[in-house]
Amino acid sequence: MPVAALFRLARAGFVMAREGVFGIVDVPDLPPAQRLALAAVRLLERRSARDKAARTRLSDALTRLGPSYVKLGQFLATRPDVVGREIATDLTALQDQIPPFPIEEARAVVEAQLGRPVEDIFVTFDLPVAAASIAQVHPAEIREEDGSLRKVAVKVLRPGVAERFRRDLKSYYLIARLIERFHPPSRRLRPLAVVDTLARSVELEMDFRLEAAALSEMGENTADDPGFRVPAVDWPRTAKCVLTMEWISGRKLNDLEGLAADGHDLPAVGATVIQSFLRHAVRDGFFHADMHQGNMFLEPDGTLVAVDFGITGRLGRTERRFLAEILFGFITRDYHRVAEVHFEAGYVPADQDVDVFAQAIRAIGEPIHGQDASEISMARLLTQLLEVTELFNMRTQPQLIMLQKTMVVVEGVARTLNPHLDMWRTAEPVVRGWIERNLGPGARLQDAAGGLSALGKLAADLPLLADRAQRLSHEVERMAEKGLRFDAETAEAIGRAEARHSRSGRYALWAIAALLAIAILG
């Protein structure tokens, strides 16, 4: 066992103990030895920590541990399957705001990366306006060919953050291996794979050329989309540790009073947020995975501008087809097909019974039919889905979890703009086209590009496709007339339901706590 990694792990455990993190552990069936270790570690707890709200203790500890742990907390906030919905929700409030590093250091990074003195690159280069764990943003000006000045935003990587993250990553891998070895129930969550994903995510986030590429790709994808755009990248002034882009002077979406005073139609803005995200995810398979209010601006003409593309998500054609099949199956009540799709995608092990799984899916889907929107319990549906996940040993699908997590955030943003948001009516135009593209004749024609056998399958399936189109049109119109409202109370209930039914994730978190306690005492 690497001594340096063990030392860093012990330090992390000490800080968490001082901040009272172990005081919120409550797992009744924890082995006696681990419960004793946790009780002993609680003796290190600061007196002031006991007065803190339980939900702030973990966030405070991660903040004290530094940038690497802040990123860890933010990443775990996107993985409720690993830490449980309640903890994940608490971590979404983790503020990635730390003191800025000196402007002299920022200038040194810019000069080293771009190979010229700052004065040769920018007319002005001012103090940072925002600072986070990985980078900070400076306002600057550049001179255009016609002699005019143009304001830009310059994002500069925090010096030393990459090396510090690599060191801390060794501790994360160590604890993941310990969990997989000593806590069998957590193996389904693949702790080592979780750390691999975190490592890859942060590695990509710290290369600003990739963020620039993400901005460029999103810009091309959304060039014709109504009411949405992203900042233009200044490629000649961009490198691995420096990203220069268009300065956005709009108002952030968290300034509701200011938006209203500007005369914007807030419900219409909320609809734009939802529809834009859905277009990106289901049409393009590429979406902004951190679309909170602070990362979205509204320009005077009502155009929504998204910034900070350090975290993005992708859905391959297979995942998009899977989601289309699932949604189509629920709408048309073809539960056996919904079950088959899970098996075809490999999400449910082949040794499970497809008919029994279809029966479980029917129990989930039937309650949404024949009821008024106000009577539909989305929390109950999600509860049963999670129970099915456990019952049939479905493996964690990180890409779908990121989509789900982002959707919750995006809807929360939209609901702050329009508390009476009707989710179905808002999403229906995008969702209808999505299903038709993925399950209609056009999708089969794309499949046919693979060979003549696919063409034969297309011909054989034409009557089925015609029937599907008719059924889909009827069911979607019926559901649109009713309107499936996803209200704030339902959202909270979903959170509670998911927390209850992610026991493995919750136990995994407290297995980490127990191991940290043992590391301290060792």
Side-chain angles (χ1 to χ4, degrees):
M1 184 178 294
V3 176
L6 185 60
F7 175 79
R8 286 191 293 270
L9 200 61
R11 175 182 173 273
F14 177 78
V15 171
M16 289 187 180
R18 293 288 288 167
E19 293 297 325
V21 172
F22 300 119
I24 60 177
V25 177
D26 183 19
V27 181
D29 56 352
L30 199 66
Q34 294 181 7
R35 293 187 68 84
L36 180 62
L38 290 174
V41 167
R42 288 205 62 190
L43 298 175
L44 299 173
E45 198 171 285
R46 289 191 297 117
R47 197 172 284 180
S48 60
R50 298 169 188 170
D51 299 327
K52 291 182 181 178
R55 65 183 305 160
T56 68
R57 296 182 186 182
L58 182 57
S59 294
D60 290 347
L62 294 174
T63 300
R64 277 197 61 194
L65 285 167
S68 300
Y69 283 86
V70 170
K71 296 308 300 181
L72 173 64
Q74 290 180 319
F75 175 76
L76 291 177
T78 70
R79 296 299 303 269
D81 59 311
V82 174
V83 297
R85 169 62 61 181
E86 186 175 352
I87 295 296
T89 300
D90 294 345
L91 288 174
T92 58
L94 185 63
Q95 295 298 309
D96 191 1
Q97 297 176 349
I98 58 179
F101 53 90
I103 190 172
E104 292 77 17
E105 293 185 19
R107 291 171 65 93
V109 171
V110 170
E111 292 179 353
Q113 289 287 302
L114 300 182
R116 289 184 291 161
V118 170
E119 290 75 12
D120 292 350
I121 306 169
F122 303 104
V123 177
T124 62
F125 187 85
D126 297 328
L127 293 171
V129 293
S133 58
I134 282 183
Q136 62 189 33
V137 177
H138 295 259
E141 289 180 315
I142 61 175
R143 191 173 300 281
E144 301 281 37
E145 291 183 359
D146 61 3
S148 62
L149 295 179
R150 176 164 61 90
K151 192 172 184 179
V152 294
V154 184
K155 187 174 182 178
V156 182
L157 187 72
R158 184 175 289 272
V161 68
E163 179 57 34
R164 179 166 182 177
F165 183 78
R166 279 191 287 270
R167 290 198 307 267
D168 289 336
L169 196 61
K170 295 177 182 177
S171 301
Y172 303 161
Y173 273 115
L174 173 59
I175 202 163
R177 292 189 185 95
L178 292 173
I179 290 171
E180 289 201 351
R181 181 176 179 181
F182 296 111
H183 196 255
S186 297
R187 291 172 188 164
R188 183 179 74 91
L189 299 172
R190 297 180 286 179
L192 280 172
V194 170
V195 179
D196 285 338
T197 303
L198 169 64
R200 184 61 176 161
S201 173
V202 176
E203 180 184 13
L204 295 176
E205 193 175 353
M206 288 191 294
D207 189 336
F208 293 163
R209 295 169 298 187
L210 298 178
E211 182 176 349
L215 281 163
S216 177
E217 182 178 352
M218 181 65 73
E220 291 180 2
N221 290 344
T222 61
D224 298 323
D225 287 1
F228 180 90
R229 72 181 190 90
V230 297
V233 175
D234 187 329
W235 285 102
R237 298 174 178 84
T238 293
K240 182 176 181 180
C241 302
V242 177
L243 169 59
T244 304
M245 59 194 144
E246 172 189 2
W247 180 269
I248 302 300
S249 57
R251 194 182 294 274
K252 285 188 177 182
L253 291 197
N254 54 12
D255 185 1
L256 296 180
E257 291 184 1
L259 292 172
D262 291 341
H264 292 294
D265 182 345
L266 299 191
V269 176
T272 299
V273 171
I274 292 291
Q275 292 178 355
S276 296
F277 169 74
L278 288 175
R279 286 191 190 97
H280 308 160
V282 303
R283 180 193 66 192
D284 307 324
F286 179 60
F287 59 93
H288 191 316
D290 195 20
M291 282 184 68
H292 58 75
Q293 291 99 322
N295 280 343
M296 286 187 281
F297 293 80
L298 197 65
E299 295 184 307
D301 66 354
T303 298
L304 184 68
V305 184
V307 300
D308 194 356
F309 277 72
I311 304 175
T312 57
R314 289 190 183 273
L315 294 175
R317 189 176 170 199
T318 299
E319 286 83 18
R320 281 179 279 167
R321 177 72 64 84
F322 168 77
L323 291 170
E325 289 268 18
I326 294 299
L327 185 55
F328 180 85
F330 274 115
I331 291 174
T332 59
R333 304 168 77 175
D334 189 351
Y335 303 120
H336 199 273
R337 180 56 189 152
V338 173
E340 288 178 337
V341 170
H342 280 79
F343 283 82
E344 290 170 5
Y347 294 162
V348 176
D351 60 357
Q352 299 294 319
D353 190 317
V354 66
D355 293 319
V356 176
F357 188 67
Q359 180 181 353
I361 294 293
R362 176 179 292 275
I364 295 169
E366 281 301 295
I368 73 173
H369 291 278
Q371 295 187 35
D372 185 80
S374 62
E375 298 174 352
I376 295 173
S377 171
M378 294 296 290
R380 184 172 62 190
L381 296 180
L382 183 56
T383 298
Q384 292 183 62
L385 280 169
L386 291 167
E387 288 174 344
V388 167
T389 297
E390 294 179 359
L391 186 61
F392 290 88
N393 298 321
M394 287 176 61
R395 299 196 73 184
T396 299
Q397 302 300 321
Q399 69 276 27
L400 298 181
I401 290 173
M402 178 171 280
L403 176 71
Q404 176 202 28
K405 175 69 179 178
T406 308
M407 186 69 249
V408 170
V409 173
V410 168
E411 191 194 344
V413 173
R415 190 158 297 286
T416 62
L417 296 161
N418 179 14
H420 304 292
L421 175 72
D422 187 323
M423 187 66 179
W424 179 257
R425 287 187 184 276
T426 302
E428 189 270 338
V430 180
V431 170
R432 179 197 288 267
W434 169 41
I435 294 177
E436 290 174 348
R437 281 193 304 275
N438 279 275
L439 302 184
R444 290 296 190 188
L445 285 170
Q446 287 185 343
D447 292 341
L452 293 176
S453 61
L455 283 170
K457 181 168 175 40
L458 171 64
D461 285 351
L462 282 175
L464 173 62
L465 293 172
D467 177 64
R468 276 188 165 192
Q470 184 176 4
R471 291 168 63 199
L472 174 63
S473 178
H474 171 74
E475 292 291 342
V476 168
E477 287 175 6
R478 182 183 67 80
M479 295 179 76
E481 288 175 1
K482 288 194 170 195
L484 294 180
R485 178 160 294 167
F486 189 64
D487 55 29
E489 183 177 349
T490 299
E492 292 180 7
I494 285 176
R496 293 193 298 270
E498 189 164 6
R500 282 199 304 272
H501 293 279
S502 55
R503 299 186 189 93
S504 295
R506 186 153 39 93
Y507 289 172
L509 181 66
W510 301 129
I512 293 173
L515 288 168
L516 287 172
I518 293 170
I520 297 172
L521 295 176

